[in-house]
Every structure is written in C-alpha cells, then in structure tokens.
Amino acid sequence: MTNSEVGEMNPLDLVAALQQPLFTLLGTAVSWTEVLGFGSGALCVWLVARQHIANWPIGIANNVFFILLFTQAGLFADAGLQVVFIVLAGYGWWTWVHGSSRTQPLPVRRTTRVEWLVLAACGVLGTAAITVLLDTATESTVPFWDALTTALSLMATYGQCRKRLESWWLWIAADIVYIPLYAYKGLFLTALLYLGFLALCVRGLIAWRRDVVEAPVVVAV
C-alpha cells in the first residue's frame, strides 16, 4: 500500500485494512490489529513496571487496537472494557502527574482494607451483572469468563491509577484467565502477549514492592 493510497483512505477503510490477515499462526489468521496490540501492550506494561508516565498514552493506543480486535472476535465485554480503560487512562495520567506534590511523584502504597472491601463488592456485582448482560444481549460464547476478566481488569486499573501495590496481583489473576480464554477464541498471538504480560506483572510487583511507602498510622489521642 502506497503513501498516497493511505492518505486517500477514510477511517472505515483504515479499520478494514487493519483487520486484514497479516500472517497465519497455528492455522489461525493474525491481523494488523493483533500485531499492533501485541507491541503496544507489551511496551505499556514494561513502562508501568518502571513507573514511567508514557505508559498512559501508549496504553490508550493499545486500547484502540484491542477495541477493533475484540469486536471482531466477539469478545464484546472486553471491547467495551477498552473504552472504559481509555477514560481511566486519562484519570490515571492526571493522578500520576498531580496526585502528589509538584516536586515528588505519586508514591506506591498498599491497598487499604476499605478499598479491598469496595473492590471485592464491585467485582462480584460487576461480574454477575456483565455475565447476565452478555448472556442475554449479545452472542458471546463465554459470558462469565468475559465478565470476570472485565471486572478483574477494572479493579486492577483502579489500583494502577492510584499506584496501589496489590494492583499487580489483580492483573496476574486476570492474565491467568485471559491466556486460555484468548487461545480458546483463536487469538494465539494475544494469548502469547498475555503470557508476556504475566511475566511483566511479576516483575512489576517486585519493582513496586521496593518502592512501597507505608501509609502513616493515625494514633487517637
């Protein structure tokens, strides 16, 4: 495809071109969206582990690629989740820049008991609600697993935005489900990407653990 042809393409043509097969892996066609999602996703997680602010714009680009990929694969909750991720990325980006003092970056802290209770309640209710929605309103073949990974990912993203150490454990739990789910849907390159995510999440957990700042203990007088 020449540069002039790219310039003349409208957005729908560009989307169609990105969804065209690029090569075949294990008998399954791999599209440009999956390849670009693979690269941007790996770079994003690596940047998060290093607490680099550039993880947020790279992550937004990754979300756009995955919207196209998951819609095509029939993973509707995961596709919708990417839209939420884009909104949360804006919040996380702002928080990392402005959430602490102007001279110090936002510190890594542990998730509080209240946060865990709220996250657990939202996770259970969210999984149940999304499962019912997918089962009744879409053609999803994996409504529960799609819903579960969506809930875990949202919980983890909240923790990432606030630099909570345990957000890595939530990402690890989500990745353990994502890997076989994507393989089942024939997205083998994405399954491989999430295997890499799993390794990066372990690395990120170790790196953030060294930087944990314990919350001050308030003593009643």
Side-chain angles (χ1 to χ4, degrees):
M1 185 179 296
T2 65
N3 291 334
S4 60
E5 288 175 327
V6 172
E8 293 173 358
M9 293 178 65
N10 62 47
L12 293 178
D13 290 335
L14 180 58
V15 168
L18 288 173
Q19 292 177 328
Q20 292 301 309
L22 182 61
F23 60 87
T24 301
L25 179 65
L26 300 177
T28 302
V30 176
S31 66
W32 272 106
T33 50
E34 192 167 4
V35 172
L36 293 171
F38 181 101
S40 58
L43 178 58
C44 176
V45 177
W46 182 77
L47 289 169
V48 174
R50 294 175 63 84
Q51 299 184 50
H52 196 293
I53 197 70
N55 85 85
W56 296 112
I58 296 296
I60 290 172
N62 177 253
N63 299 146
V64 173
F65 293 132
F66 275 168
I67 287 173
L68 301 176
L69 179 65
F70 293 149
T71 300
Q72 190 176 27
L75 292 168
F76 302 109
D78 276 341
L81 177 62
Q82 304 307 309
V83 178
V84 179
F85 278 165
I86 291 173
V87 176
L88 289 175
Y91 167 70
W93 197 344
W94 185 91
T95 301
W96 280 35
V97 174
H98 302 287
S100 188
S101 68
R102 292 186 177 182
T103 58
Q104 297 293 330
L106 184 70
V108 177
R109 295 190 185 278
R110 294 186 181 276
T111 308
T112 66
R113 183 177 299 179
V114 172
E115 285 177 321
W116 271 126
L117 290 173
V118 173
L119 285 171
C122 290
V124 171
L125 293 175
T127 299
I130 296 171
T131 299
V132 172
L133 177 64
L134 292 175
D135 194 38
T136 57
T138 74
E139 298 178 355
S140 175
T141 58
V142 285
F144 171 74
W145 298 110
D146 201 358
L148 176 62
T149 50
T150 298
L152 285 171
S153 297
L154 287 173
M155 293 163 65
T157 301
Y158 165 81
Q160 181 183 325
C161 290
R162 302 296 302 169
K163 277 198 179 179
R164 297 299 190 248
L165 174 67
E166 291 78 12
S167 65
W168 289 112
W169 285 113
L170 292 170
W171 279 126
I172 289 169
D175 290 344
I176 289 173
V177 181
Y178 272 131
I179 292 166
L181 176 62
Y182 291 145
Y184 173 76
K185 297 297 288 186
L187 300 174
F188 297 111
L189 186 61
T190 302
L192 181 62
L193 168 65
Y194 273 75
L195 185 61
F197 279 176
L198 186 59
L200 287 170
C201 285
V202 173
R203 179 179 176 181
L205 176 65
I206 295 170
W208 280 30
R209 184 176 289 167
R210 292 195 297 263
D211 295 334
V212 169
V213 175
E214 298 293 347
V217 177
V218 178
V219 179
V221 178

